[in-house]
Amino acid sequence: MDCVVIVDYGGQYAHLIARRVRECKVYSEVVHGDEAYEEIKSLPPDVNVKGLILSGGPMSVLSEDSPKFDPRLMELGVPILGICFGHQLLAHAFGGKVEALGRGEYGTTYVYVEDFDDILEGLDRVEKVWMSHSDTVTSLPSEFRVLARTDICPVAAFKHKERPIYGVQWHPEVVHTEKGMKVIENFVFKVCKCKPEWVMEDFIEKAIEEIIREVGDGKAIIALSGGIDSSTTAVLAARAIGDRLYAVFVDHGFMREGEPEQIRECFGKAIKNFIFVDAKKRFLDRLRGVKDPEQKRKIIGEEFVRVFEEVARKVGAEYLLQGTIYPDRIESGFRRFSDKIKTHHNVAGLPSKMEFKKVVEPLRDLYKDEVREVAKRLGLPDEIVYRQPFPGPGLAVRVIGEVTEEKLRIVRRADKIVREEIEKAGLARGLWQYFAVLTDTKSTGVKGDARAYGYTVAVRIVESRDAMTASFAKIPYDVLERISTRITNEIPEVTRVVYDITNKPPATIEWE
């Protein structure tokens, strides 16, 4: 099978590049930047590597401890495309000049295309793209030519005059680049000559085989939250190991209103070995006095594992299955060169010592919408497939500061109001997430001609395709007004409602 390998230098979007390649129905693998050559050489013989894409990254090529380009990658004799940091890395490795000009480009930028050769074929003379860089390629050696520029970036895209080596400073993999897929398709098909042979069924078969291989004849626990990721993992695991799977739902007390009962009703009938654990008191006790969001996530991650260990001892399970997906891992800084944005409870939040032989994560390289595609192919119902994402720590990370029973009651009620009004307006299917956050800010208000002093609730509603980037949703004012009116009328402790109009980046979707 033809394959395009993504060399990951710690960029937030490395696996997003891989999934864009898979959207072209071409298989992709992601390898570590500092071990790329060895990992590529160790790929199975039926994987036909036809090209390399070098990812972005948080470091500067001018830094001594930044990743370096391995010249052995040239020995593979396949086309290479550098994106952002990868673009700078190639230019620097071949003798070009990379400088920190004192200003970068972040967000929407306009690129002026000067040469439409190969990878830029089909683009317009002026293209709207998405940038995120502080260093800039300012000049190239004589064997390269410039393909595009911006107002402050003289080399926004380049090509080697004789070899199939390319670079683009912008991010074609993000949806904000209007013709980004055209650039990727040009590289995959016109330059690398790949054949579109990969389909999602290939992933399903591979995931089931992985679970069988990892668990063997043993028993496993699936950490079931009722969300799309863990539910999909549960179905894959059930097909792989049957009755040796135990689905454990832990009610930590931070779920949305009515969800524990819904999950018990749905999965209690669907899965033979379904175990419901009421752990509300122990989780809340562990979080008493804790304000730091990173500490919250780690405490919750550890407590989850301790509950699973207790259940595992009773049923004789030695393996833990999780519905971890790629955005969970990349934001947790799991790669050597990637930056930690925030610890996800099921990744870096896991304790260093666990009783399980292994944690198995068959969805670890997928994005949310890819998981939905797998779920549909596995026959999961729409209410699971299209359930909006919900963080594992639940409402605990939607309460800013210390978590208390009172604050949970307030945010749970506010969240229900947001969901009811968005769904009543018929807007839900077009949105990625819509929820309420209880801030730690209080402000003065007026209720019944009397002074009131209460909490501020923030409403967060975003549109996204894969959660790696997101835009705040332009919700009609009358819908926002109904949400605000209901929250301040129905929740006495709240005096003010604000709407979050920050995109990702610079913000994350969740506040903590």
Side-chain angles (χ1 to χ4, degrees):
M1 187 180 298
D2 287 350
C3 173
V4 173
V5 172
I6 316 304
V7 181
D8 181 6
Y9 292 108
Q12 293 290 301
Y13 309 121
H15 272 257
L16 186 53
I17 302 170
R19 63 80 45 85
R20 295 291 182 246
V21 173
R22 294 199 293 266
E23 285 177 5
C24 297
K25 292 183 169 53
V26 173
Y27 183 62
S28 61
E29 285 272 359
V30 180
V31 299
H32 297 73
D34 53 349
E35 300 170 358
Y37 182 78
E38 290 81 2
E39 289 189 33
I40 292 170
K41 296 299 286 186
S42 66
L43 290 174
D46 59 341
V47 174
N48 182 23
V49 178
K50 299 292 289 288
L52 307 179
I53 299 180
L54 313 186
S55 83
M59 304 185 76
S60 167
V61 297
L62 305 175
S63 173
E64 289 186 7
D65 57 351
S66 70
K68 302 297 186 286
F69 179 73
D70 187 343
R72 292 180 298 170
L73 295 176
M74 298 297 300
E75 298 173 10
L76 299 172
V78 298
I80 301 176
L81 169 64
I83 293 176
C84 194
F85 176 86
H87 162 88
Q88 298 168 9
L89 190 66
L90 283 172
H92 185 68
F94 280 89
K97 192 170 185 180
V98 180
E99 298 180 87
L101 299 180
R103 59 178 293 200
E105 293 174 299
Y106 305 96
T108 299
T109 306
Y110 289 92
V111 160
Y112 307 106
V113 180
E114 299 178 349
D115 190 329
F116 295 92
D117 194 333
D118 294 341
I119 60 168
L120 304 187
E121 185 178 325
L123 272 62
D124 294 328
R125 183 66 64 181
V126 180
E127 281 291 340
K128 185 179 180 181
V129 302
W130 198 85
M131 293 269 204
S132 184
H133 71 103
S134 53
D135 290 347
T136 301
V137 179
T138 54
S139 65
L140 294 168
S142 59
E143 63 267 31
F144 288 82
R145 71 172 187 263
V146 176
L147 301 181
R149 62 178 177 82
T150 71
D151 289 334
I152 68 169
C153 181
V155 186
F158 65 73
K159 175 189 177 181
H160 194 283
K161 293 178 180 178
E162 297 179 358
R163 301 179 183 181
I165 301 173
Y166 307 83
V168 292
Q169 181 60 71
W170 66 90
H171 286 271
E173 70 274 22
V174 303
V175 295
H176 307 293
T177 297
E178 291 186 343
K179 291 187 180 177
M181 274 303 291
K182 186 63 178 172
V183 174
I184 292 173
E185 288 169 356
N186 284 341
F187 181 72
V188 169
F189 295 121
K190 293 181 181 297
V191 177
C192 299
K193 311 295 184 187
C194 291
K195 296 185 288 294
E197 301 172 326
W198 186 85
V199 291
M200 190 57 77
E201 279 82 356
D202 295 331
F203 170 81
I204 293 173
E205 182 180 339
K206 181 180 177 183
I208 291 173
E209 289 175 353
E210 177 187 354
I211 296 169
I212 293 171
R213 182 177 64 253
E214 296 292 351
V215 177
D217 296 328
K219 296 179 181 179
I221 280 175
I222 169 67
L224 181 67
S225 70
I228 179 66
D229 304 329
S230 64
S231 299
T232 302
T233 303
V235 174
L236 289 170
R239 292 192 180 186
I241 61 175
D243 290 348
R244 292 182 286 119
L245 176 71
Y246 293 81
V248 181
F249 171 73
V250 178
D251 182 3
H252 50 18
F254 311 134
M255 300 297 288
R256 292 174 287 201
E257 190 166 314
E259 279 190 324
E261 294 78 16
Q262 292 171 358
I263 292 167
R264 174 179 255 165
E265 174 69 19
C266 177
F267 291 96
K269 296 177 180 178
I271 298 179
K272 180 181 178 181
N273 299 322
F274 175 77
I275 300 172
F276 185 100
V277 180
D278 185 344
K280 293 191 286 291
K281 185 179 184 304
R282 65 188 286 178
F283 274 86
L284 195 58
D285 287 346
R286 285 291 313 275
L287 290 182
R288 187 165 286 116
V290 177
K291 297 181 179 180
D292 180 74
E294 281 293 285
Q295 194 177 355
K296 281 186 197 177
R297 288 174 175 271
K298 289 181 178 179
I299 288 172
I300 292 169
E302 179 183 3
E303 200 63 23
F304 262 126
V305 170
R306 298 309 172 221
V307 175
F308 294 139
E309 287 175 338
E310 291 168 12
V311 175
R313 289 186 214 116
K314 294 178 182 177
V315 302
E318 298 177 308
Y319 299 88
L320 176 65
L321 283 144
Q322 292 197 137
T324 307
I325 61 174
Y326 184 70
D328 298 339
R329 299 196 301 142
I330 190 62
E331 287 193 338
S332 296
F334 80 105
R335 292 289 198 186
R336 176 185 167 190
F337 297 114
S338 61
D339 204 14
K340 182 172 75 172
I341 308 303
K342 58 186 175 185
T343 296
H344 285 260
H345 76 287
N346 55 335
V347 187
L350 294 177
S352 57
K353 293 183 179 180
M354 296 187 289
E355 296 178 12
F356 295 101
K357 284 185 176 179
K358 193 164 190 177
V359 177
V360 183
E361 300 169 320
L363 306 181
R364 63 189 176 277
D365 292 333
L366 297 190
Y367 287 82
K368 185 74 70 175
D369 56 323
E370 290 183 306
V371 177
R372 288 197 173 108
E373 180 63 27
V374 173
K376 285 190 285 187
R377 291 177 184 271
L378 291 172
L380 269 71
D382 282 356
E383 55 265 30
I384 296 293
V385 173
Y386 294 106
R387 180 179 185 253
Q388 66 162 313
F390 188 60
L395 299 177
V397 290
R398 291 182 181 173
V399 170
I400 307 303
E402 183 181 5
V403 180
T404 66
E405 289 187 17
E406 180 199 34
K407 290 180 179 179
L408 286 170
R409 177 178 55 79
I410 294 170
V411 75
R412 186 175 284 117
R413 181 61 183 150
D415 180 83
K416 184 181 181 184
I417 292 170
V418 172
R419 288 187 289 128
E420 285 177 346
E421 292 300 328
I422 289 297
E423 289 159 13
K424 189 188 304 179
L427 301 172
R429 188 60 72 89
L431 300 170
W432 182 263
Q433 275 177 276
Y434 42 98
F435 57 89
V437 176
L438 182 61
T439 75
D440 56 355
T441 299
K442 285 192 171 184
S443 64
T444 301
V446 179
K447 290 188 176 184
D449 294 328
R451 179 183 185 274
Y453 188 67
Y455 287 105
T456 299
V457 165
V459 175
R460 180 72 160 148
I461 306 175
V462 298
E463 299 169 338
S464 182
R465 184 175 177 181
D466 44 50
M468 294 306 295
T469 61
S471 302
F472 76 88
K474 284 70 173 177
I475 301 298
Y477 287 142
D478 62 322
V479 177
L480 292 177
E481 185 176 26
R482 284 199 300 273
I483 290 172
S484 175
T485 301
R486 284 193 61 191
I487 289 176
T488 52
N489 283 354
E490 297 176 27
I491 309 175
E493 296 88 348
V494 178
T495 55
R496 193 176 302 271
V497 176
V498 297
Y499 187 52
D500 185 347
I501 60 169
T502 320
N503 295 330
K504 176 185 180 180
T508 54
I509 295 176
E510 298 287 346
W511 275 41
E512 285 197 340

